[in-house]
Every structure is written in C-alpha cells, then in structure tokens.
Amino acid sequence: MPGMNTPHAERIILIGPTGSGKTTVAAALAKLLGWPCLDTDALIERRAGLAIPEIFAREGEPRFRELEAEALVEALAAQRAVIATGAGIVEHAENLAAMRAAGWVVALSISVRAALRRMLAAVPAGANPADARPMLAGGDPLARLRSLDARRRDAYAQADATYATDAAAPDQVAARTAADLVARGLLPPDGAEAQTIAVRSSAGDYDVIVGWGALAALGGHLRALGLAPRVHVIADETVAALYRPSLSATLEAAGFAAEWYVFAAGEASKSRAQWARLTDLLAERRAERGEAVIALGGGVAGDLAGFVAATYLRGLPLIQVPTSLLAQVDAAIGGKVAIDHPRGKNLIGAFYPPRLVVADPAALLTLPERQRIEGWAEVIKHGVALDADYFALLEAHAGDLLALRPRETTEAVAHSAALKAGIVSRDERESGPRMLLNYGHTIAHAIETVAGYGVWLHGEAVAMGMAAEARLAQRMGLCDAALVARQDALLARFGLPIRLPPELSAEALMRAALWDKKVRGGRVRWALPIGLGRSEIVDDVPDEAVRDVLLACGTEAS
C-alpha cells in the first residue's frame, strides 16, 4: 500500500481500538502543533443529527459505516489537521488507503483488558453501558473486544507508527508522536528556510545549522565531517524517551551506529558524579578518539556531554544537537561546557568548541510549555543587549513566536544564533565582548544557587536577572525607565518572571553573586544595558545599589 502523497505530513491521522485514547491524544497533539483537531465520530453525529448509539440502534452498523466513510472524506479535506477516527474505520481497505495517502497514520495500541477498563470507566454513573458504548451491548464484551482486535490487527499494523497507550498519558503519546515527526523531517516548514552560520574558533571553525526539519539530516552532516561510524549520544531520560527510536533509525540509515547514554533530567545531573559515571561508560564501551559525542537536549545535556567530550581521551569530537530554545540560541554555541559545584553554577568547565551545531526549531514543539517559554529569555536578552531592531521584531511577532510558527521561529532562532556566533567568533575566551552575553546572568546564577538547582529553570532565572539588572542600570544612570518598561512588557508577554518571590532574600542573593565566576579581584563584573541594543561591562557597582534593587524587585511583587 502506498504511503503519503506529499513530502510532509499535512495531516496526522490516529487509528486504533476503542479505549486506546485516540480522541484525547489527538487533542493533545493538535495543541502541540497548533493545528485543528477533528474527530470522525463527532462529524458523523453532526451529519446524522443523532448520537452514535442511536445510529446503531435505528439504522444499524452498515449505515454507520457509510456515514463514517463520508466523515473521513470530509476530515481528510482539511489541511494541517490532527484527525481521530473510529476503531472500525480500518475495516474498509479504501478508508485505510485514503488515510495513508493523505497523511501520517499513527496507530495507538492497548491491551484488550485495559481497553475494557477504560470504556467502563468512561460510562456516566447510573447509565447503561450498552447505551453509551454499542460494543458493550450483549454477551461478553471482553470476548467481543478480542474478536474485533483479531479482525483489525493487520489493518492497524499498516500504520506509519505505533505507540502503546496502556500506561502512557495522552500528553506523553502526543510528545512522542511529535518527536518522531521532527526526527523524520515530516512537519511542513511553511516557508521556513534553513540557514548556516559560521563560527570562528582557535580549535577549528564550525557551522551552526538552523533549519526546520534539520534533525532529519543529522546523519548526512556527520558523514560530511568524516566521523567514525560509531557515535555516542548523551541525553536525559525525557529526551531519550522521545527521540531514541527515530533518531537511532535516522543515524543508522546514514551509516552510523548510536550508543546511548541516558542520565536523569534536571540541573542536578550537571555534577562531578554524573560526569564520572558517563566517562566510566565510555571507557567500558571502549570509545575511541574519532568517535563523536552527540549532546542531544537542552543546556544541561550540552554542558554535561560537552564536558565529557572535552575530558575523555583529551577530547572527542563534539556535536551539539540542542532541542530546547535556550540551547539553540545560546548554550550550544561558543564552546563553553561545564558542570556545577556546590558553591556555584558552572565552576568546573572548559572552552571546548563543537565540530557542528544542528538546531531544529521544530524540536521545540515537543517541549512542555514551561520549557518552551524559558528559552525566550535568552532571545530577548540578545535584543536588549545587542540589537534594538531585533528587539522590536520580537515585540511585533510575539504571537507568532509563542505559537512556534515555522518561518518566524526559524528566523528568530537563526538571528539569535548569528548574534551569538558573531560575538564568540570575536571573543572566544570571554575576555571582552563575549562578557556582554552575561547580561541577566549574575543575578540569575545567584537565584539558581540560592533556590537550589532546578527549582528555577535557567531561562526563568535569566529573565528575573534581566529585570533586576535593567533596574540596576537605570539606578546608575546608564539607561532610562523606558528601556526597563519595554523589557518588562516583553518578558511578561512571553510569560517570564519579572518579580522576585519572598523566599529569595536580597542578602542571600548578594552572597551568592560574590561567588559568581565573573568576579575579578573581589568585584562583580556586570553586563548592563546602556540603551536598547547596547550594553557594557561595569565593575564599580556599589553593593547597596544591588541590595536596593533586589529589595525593590521583591517589594514590587506585593
């Protein structure tokens, strides 16, 4: 049977037995993608003016199947839609053929007993199960479900992908589906154009490739670098659960065998203990010097895997594949890799540039909402500290960016990546202009240290740091109140914090800031805005000014 008749998945169609969660998964996936959600059962009821149990009772199953085929034709006429179908729709070969030609078909599987439990649980209290679910009527419903499963199993097996839903929440299944689409490059780019940005480095220049669907081409890029056929993918457990099967297949198709190293998600894994565990695993698997380490995930994966690559065998080739916005626009570019120390964030690290960065903005679709939002802090930072026109562009397109529209999101990621690349190319070791990228980070790192690593996401802490440090710049006469107001408005528009909670005391944050790695000779070096799109390094900031600003940021919250 032929597959899709388009190069990208214009529709995602869910099939599978009753009780497998097609309707709830479809709604969750549609929300992730920003597409409409259609349900063929709902379309049937609208066409007939009757509930499905009534159609079965009055007109019988043959008439229902006719209405179902008509509803499918209507649903498949929609563009960029997620479609949930009825369990028996696959029994007609023409329906299955139409679905496979029109889009990406996903089968949800579930054990018969688990399906029956879900069906019975969904029956309203006091209602007759047979009235709510026609297939529960008469005889042994478990036996009937087994019979239907046996009859339809071969048809379900013709789906493009299959996911078990017995123990998985709808949001998890939706994210896994989206990740497969990303890794296979199947999501429509909608006019987004890939960009390649060159970064200069004393250890060898490298490219940052930003493209909607770029992850699907990762194997080809590795081949172009002439890397050894075994690669070592380091990812946290959340990212590995999403991407491991499809990315392994993509790499295998390009001639690479992927060894996976999975660590617990969260900032706490950027530790000496986790670094030791990963290097031990590389040694056990006899990793060789020409074999690349692929850092897959957000900033934690990039820092941790990067430090492992920098230190094992005096350096393995490092490929950064950032899947979070924060990592795509900032952390993965520039070669700074590190692990944390109890006295401060990133105190143990190195400058170790990657051989390549592949940033696929489509991967942002698989992130939970909070992780999606935090990365915009680094993007807004680039506008405030480096590029006023870019800041205005972010203001104008905030809605498109929050919705992750392919063209606007790819352009924003590429623009931020180019700004970061330009800075680090001129100042690889952070002795001059690169320090400007630390805007917001002095207080951000203090927040992370005082609150405990992982309580605040890094981007959330950076946003709060920017809010405080802009006020510090205003207090010192470096910028005006208008800059503070515009920055506050844009941070808030993206759902980022601009006020300190009461549990973070000014005194504790002051003490933590003195341990920040940007301290020289006992004085904190601050990157502060001197106007929209312009910033400078200041090291004569009085402690009382910092304390007053931190107190004000907390007081304003009340």
Side-chain angles (χ1 to χ4, degrees), residues 62 114 146 186 192 294 355 370 393 405 458 475 490 518 552:
R146 284 184 176 135
L186 292 175
I294 297 176
R355 294 285 301 279
R370 187 182 173 197
L393 194 68
R405 305 293 183 216
H458 181 63
R475 178 187 169 98
L490 191 56
K518 292 172 284 297

Side-chain angles (χ1 to χ4, degrees), residues 195-210 320 328-330 332-336 352-358 414 416-429 434 437:
Q195 298 187 39
T196 300
I197 301 151
V199 184
R200 294 195 303 273
S201 167
S202 60
D205 297 351
Y206 59 94
D207 288 336
V208 178
I209 297 171
V210 179
Q320 291 278 9
Q328 289 183 357
V329 302
D330 187 76
I333 304 166
K336 288 169 68 173
Y352 190 71
R355 294 285 301 279
L356 177 71
V357 180
V358 176
S416 271
L419 288 172
K420 176 74 181 282
I423 289 283
V424 301
S425 292
R426 298 197 307 273
D427 181 17
E428 184 177 7
R429 296 294 177 126
R434 186 168 181 170
L437 296 172

Side-chain angles (χ1 to χ4, degrees), residues 243-455:
Y243 289 100
R244 185 169 184 166
S246 51
L247 186 59
S248 292
T250 296
L251 292 171
E252 184 178 352
F256 291 92
E259 297 269 8
W260 285 75
Y261 304 73
V262 180
F263 62 90
E267 184 75 23
S269 283
K270 273 179 56 177
S271 65
R272 289 171 288 184
Q274 192 63 254
W275 166 82
R277 173 182 168 270
L278 293 174
T279 52
D280 285 349
L281 284 173
L282 285 171
E284 289 172 13
R285 297 177 187 180
R286 298 182 179 276
E288 299 181 5
R289 186 164 287 166
E291 297 172 351
V293 167
I294 297 176
L296 177 69
V300 171
D303 271 347
L304 176 61
F307 192 63
V308 169
T311 52
Y312 183 80
L313 289 179
R314 297 189 177 91
L316 298 180
L318 173 63
I319 309 297
Q320 291 278 9
V321 184
T323 60
S324 73
L325 178 57
L326 186 151
Q328 289 183 357
V329 302
D330 187 76
I333 304 166
K336 288 169 68 173
V337 298
I339 54 177
D340 296 334
H341 185 279
R343 298 303 295 267
K345 183 181 173 72
N346 297 333
L347 286 186
I348 306 169
F351 287 94
Y352 190 71
R355 294 285 301 279
L356 177 71
V357 180
V358 176
D360 187 343
L364 306 180
L365 293 166
T366 69
L367 296 174
E369 185 176 14
R370 187 182 173 197
Q371 279 73 22
R372 283 195 197 191
I373 288 171
E374 67 149 337
W376 293 112
E378 294 286 358
V379 173
I380 295 168
K381 177 197 77 175
H382 288 151
V384 177
L386 302 173
D387 190 333
D389 290 339
Y390 184 38
F391 184 90
L393 194 68
L394 298 174
E395 290 178 313
H397 292 284
D400 293 325
L401 296 172
L402 283 165
L404 295 182
R405 305 293 183 216
R407 182 173 61 82
E408 291 81 1
T409 305
T410 300
E411 289 175 357
V413 171
H415 194 113
S416 271
L419 288 172
K420 176 74 181 282
I423 289 283
V424 301
S425 292
R426 298 197 307 273
D427 181 17
E428 184 177 7
R429 296 294 177 126
E430 200 173 16
S431 59
R434 186 168 181 170
M435 289 161 47
L436 299 176
L437 296 172
N438 289 323
Y439 172 50
H441 283 62
T442 298
I443 289 176
H445 288 167
I447 289 171
E448 290 174 300
T449 300
V450 172
Y453 294 139
V455 174

Side-chain angles (χ1 to χ4, degrees), residues 18-19 112 114-123 132-133 135-136 145:
T18 301
V112 172
L116 181 59
R117 284 196 299 271
R118 285 188 185 176
M119 292 168 64
L120 291 172
V123 174
R133 291 281 194 177
M135 69 172 56
L136 294 177
L145 287 175

Side-chain angles (χ1 to χ4, degrees), residues 73-107:
V73 170
E74 179 182 347
L76 294 181
Q79 289 280 341
R80 310 290 164 80
V82 180
I83 303 167
T85 66
I89 202 166
V90 297
E91 292 200 14
H92 293 275
E94 57 270 25
N95 288 344
L96 188 55
M99 289 187 284
R100 293 208 59 202
W104 185 255
V105 180
V106 174

